[in-house]
């Protein structure tokens, strides 16, 4: 019903920048919240940043001042600008969207996940 496709991951040196993008497609009626999560080997998936349809953003403490989240409601896209990257930012980054679909309006919104994009911060 809904697909999320991430792009923009790669290898970057400490202190560098990357911009992640996520595009949602499918039978979308409304997307309430979009966000980014990340997961490193042996660790649980953790929230990085979220943004509501009204533009209210929230960030994990470990990325405040370094990452910025944006979204385009008309295009159903969300971006994560990552600056001042650190080696500990290395992880697979997953796009998440809380979506109300046209074909399941009575079921209410549910979460959808992208397949992830690898971010590696290393010299």
């Amino acid at each position: 019903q809904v697909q999320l496709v991430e792009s923009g991951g790669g290898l970057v040196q400490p202190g560098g920048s990357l911009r992640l993008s996520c595009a949602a497609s499918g039978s979308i009626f409304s997307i309430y919240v979009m966000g980014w999560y990340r997961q490193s080997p042996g660790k649980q998936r953790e929230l990085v940043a979220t943004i509501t349809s009204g533009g209210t953003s929230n960030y994990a403490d470990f990325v405040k001042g370094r990452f910025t989240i944006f979204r385009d409601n008309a295009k159903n896209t969300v971006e994560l600008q990552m600056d001042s990257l650190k080696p500990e930012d290395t992880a697979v980054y997953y796009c998440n969207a809380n979506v109300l679909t046209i074909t399941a309006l009575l079921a209410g919104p549910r979460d959808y996940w992208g397949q992830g994009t690898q971010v590696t911060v290393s010299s």
Side-chain angles (χ1 to χ4, degrees):
Q1 293 182 323
V2 177
Q3 297 80 43
L4 303 179
V5 179
E6 305 104 328
S7 63
L11 175 64
V12 65
Q13 294 183 337
S17 298
L18 284 174
R19 189 180 183 99
L20 305 183
S21 299
C22 174
S25 61
S27 56
I28 298 169
F29 181 80
S30 181
I31 303 178
Y32 295 101
V33 182
M34 301 187 79
W36 291 92
Y37 293 70
R38 70 186 188 186
Q39 187 169 23
S40 299
K43 297 182 65 177
Q44 294 187 101
R45 189 171 298 185
E46 61 185 354
L47 185 148
V48 177
T50 62
I51 184 167
T52 69
S53 59
T56 300
S57 59
N58 289 284
Y59 299 91
D61 287 342
F62 54 80
V63 302
K64 284 183 177 179
R66 300 190 298 123
F67 293 6
T68 306
I69 189 168
F70 305 91
R71 71 184 279 178
D72 187 329
N73 293 336
K75 297 180 179 180
N76 291 325
T77 59
V78 63
E79 317 287 326
L80 184 69
Q81 177 65 43
M82 304 187 294
D83 299 318
S84 301
L85 283 162
K86 305 173 181 179
E88 51 263 44
D89 294 320
T90 297
V92 177
Y93 284 71
Y94 295 90
C95 180
N96 171 266
N98 186 237
V99 183
L100 181 65
T101 64
I102 296 172
T103 56
L105 290 172
L106 295 179
R110 58 154 288 182
D111 282 350
Y112 292 86
W113 294 90
Q115 302 218 347
T117 184
Q118 177 70 47
V119 172
T120 302
V121 185
S122 176
S123 298

